[in-house]
Amino acid sequence: MNKTNVAVVMGGYSDEYKVSLKSGQLIFDSLDRYIYDVYKIVILKDEWYFLDENENKQEINKGDFSVKLSDEKTLKFDVCFNIIHGTPGENGILQAYWDAIGQKYTGCDFYQSALTFNKKDTLAVLSKYGIPSAKSVYLRKGEEINVDEIVENLKLPVFVKPNQSGSSLGISKVKEKSELIAATEIAFKEDDEILIESFLDGMEVSVGVIDYKGETIVLGITEIVPQNEFFDYEAKYEGASEEITPARIDDETRIRVEEIAKRAYNSLGMSGFSRSEFILMNGTPYMLEMNTNPGFSPASILPQQAKIYGISIKDLCGNEVEKAFKK
């Protein structure tokens, strides 16, 4: 039997690459070796390389995403399993390159990746499908910032965040008018566009949605209980938050969250893993953002949800490869 060659592609150009390497390792370990030959590819700003079983690096030929193993042998991949968090694997850059060279890959396409990486545009598209979000003001670097007008419009406190999504870097909660300008400067360090959002006072939930065996399913709803002011980088990656799956919500609210999370996924034409963040206020889910390549290390939310839902990581990952292969 001919096995499918699968490259697990991990790393990335942002600070999230460390998490991506752990996510990639879990997928590498989980894929069924009876069906797949599995290889590790690491993509970093300065180098793209293949790692052999002795952890030796070999350069990737970017012309066709192949690896020259010897004079006679070149390794090509039937499917690339994309598990890069942040740029270039979560914002469409890698997908566009793979499309151009005819390489099959898991997850959503170039357009969906680029769109969902842009918080403002995602929320604007989803509002057309009746999915609510916080009131917000959008600013580009260099634009004049009218503090009085913003505060009057959004009311304090507000959240200031970079528009391009990443690991909650550059986000501040602003409680005093005098702190607003400094907070915008922090966000502008991460991105040339920022969002200032009204504060939604409610429970934060993280909802895993995937397309599995031909249907869109909600893997789980996880309640985020931050010990810090909000779910920031430290809370996300250094355990300064409690994650409770399933979230402590009544059935009516759960059904509403599931329905909205699925609608968001289907409205955007999504595929593959996704994790959306919502704030529940008076029973209504307000969308914050959607991640199209969420963390998949053993400590991450999606694998925890799959475990509770009863889908093994092996099946979850195998399903992704099969869909990509049939593309």
Side-chain angles (χ1 to χ4, degrees), residues 136-162:
S136 64
V137 170
Y138 164 77
L139 294 169
R140 300 186 80 102
K141 200 174 257 179
E143 275 181 356
E144 205 177 314
I145 301 173
N146 186 330
V147 174
D148 292 337
E149 196 182 299
I150 289 168
V151 169
E152 195 180 322
N153 187 4
L154 300 180
K155 311 281 179 284
L156 289 169
V158 293
F159 276 116
V160 179
K161 48 174 94 165

Side-chain angles (χ1 to χ4, degrees), residues 147-160 172-181 183 196-201:
V147 174
D148 292 337
E149 196 182 299
I150 289 168
V151 169
E152 195 180 322
N153 187 4
L154 300 180
K155 311 281 179 284
L156 289 169
V158 293
F159 276 116
V160 179
S172 324
K173 183 176 180 182
V174 174
K175 298 173 181 167
E176 302 292 332
K177 203 186 255 192
S178 58
E179 298 165 2
L180 188 69
I181 295 291
I196 302 175
E197 290 183 340
S198 63
F199 173 62
L200 298 169
D201 194 6

Side-chain angles (χ1 to χ4, degrees), residues 44-324:
L44 301 172
K45 231 185 201 125
D46 311 319
E47 51 177 352
W48 293 22
Y49 58 85
F50 160 73
L51 272 182
D52 68 16
E53 48 272 25
N54 305 318
E55 299 286 301
N56 296 318
K57 291 181 186 179
Q58 253 155 305
E59 201 184 340
I60 289 170
N61 174 358
K62 290 183 185 172
D64 62 357
F65 207 70
S66 65
V67 182
K68 195 171 179 184
L69 297 177
S70 65
D71 287 343
E72 300 82 64
K73 199 168 177 216
T74 299
L75 178 60
K76 297 223 26 177
F77 307 105
D78 298 307
V79 173
C80 286
F81 200 120
N82 173 19
I83 195 65
I84 289 177
H85 314 317
T87 182
E90 202 172 358
N91 59 356
I93 292 175
L94 202 54
Q95 289 85 346
Y97 154 74
W98 278 333
D99 285 344
I101 61 166
Q103 171 66 60
K104 293 177 178 180
Y105 54 88
T106 60
C108 59
D109 293 342
F110 151 73
Y111 174 71
Q112 281 78 11
S113 308
L115 173 65
T116 50
F117 206 68
N118 185 312
K119 294 189 183 87
K120 166 184 73 87
D121 292 353
T122 306
L123 298 173
V125 170
L126 288 175
S127 72
K128 304 269 187 287
Y129 293 94
I131 292 167
S133 57
K135 271 179 84 169
S136 64
V137 170
Y138 164 77
L139 294 169
R140 300 186 80 102
K141 200 174 257 179
E143 275 181 356
E144 205 177 314
I145 301 173
N146 186 330
V147 174
D148 292 337
E149 196 182 299
I150 289 168
V151 169
E152 195 180 322
N153 187 4
L154 300 180
K155 311 281 179 284
L156 289 169
V158 293
F159 276 116
V160 179
K161 48 174 94 165
N163 184 39
Q164 302 282 330
S165 55
S167 278
S168 312
L169 298 163
I171 299 187
S172 324
K173 183 176 180 182
V174 174
K175 298 173 181 167
E176 302 292 332
K177 203 186 255 192
S178 58
E179 298 165 2
L180 188 69
I181 295 291
T184 63
E185 283 162 6
I186 292 167
F188 276 130
K189 282 202 179 93
E190 299 294 327
D191 189 14
D192 290 344
E193 312 167 25
I194 65 169
L195 282 179
I196 302 175
E197 290 183 340
S198 63
F199 173 62
L200 298 169
D201 194 6
M203 178 195 289
E204 177 161 357
V205 293
S206 197
V207 188
V209 182
I210 59 166
D211 48 340
Y212 186 71
K213 298 192 173 166
E215 64 173 318
T216 302
I217 61 171
V218 173
L219 266 185
I221 301 172
T222 297
E223 177 184 343
I224 309 292
V225 187
Q227 285 154 7
N228 303 7
E229 276 280 343
F230 63 99
F231 194 38
D232 60 6
Y233 186 85
E234 187 193 354
K236 213 175 240 189
Y237 294 123
E238 290 160 28
S241 74
E242 199 187 340
E243 292 159 12
I244 301 165
T245 312
R248 297 167 295 184
I249 51 179
D250 58 55
D251 276 350
E252 195 184 341
T253 308
R254 176 184 58 78
I255 290 163
R256 194 175 302 132
V257 172
E258 287 177 355
E259 191 267 319
I260 281 197
K262 271 195 222 176
R263 193 192 318 161
Y265 186 95
N266 293 332
S267 304
L268 294 172
M270 284 292 304
S271 175
F273 299 161
S274 82
R275 207 189 65 225
S276 297
E277 320 297 331
F278 294 90
I279 300 279
L280 303 182
M281 217 162 71
N282 310 323
T284 300
Y286 290 81
M287 186 151 187
L288 296 175
E289 62 173 308
M290 185 186 280
N291 300 289
T292 58
N293 233 345
F296 205 78
S297 71
S300 300
I301 290 172
L302 212 64
Q304 291 173 24
Q305 290 176 339
K307 203 183 209 166
I308 289 169
Y309 192 90
I311 298 178
S312 71
I313 304 293
K314 184 171 111 178
D315 289 343
L316 201 58
C317 295
N319 179 61
E320 288 305 307
V321 173
E322 293 310 311
K323 273 187 319 205

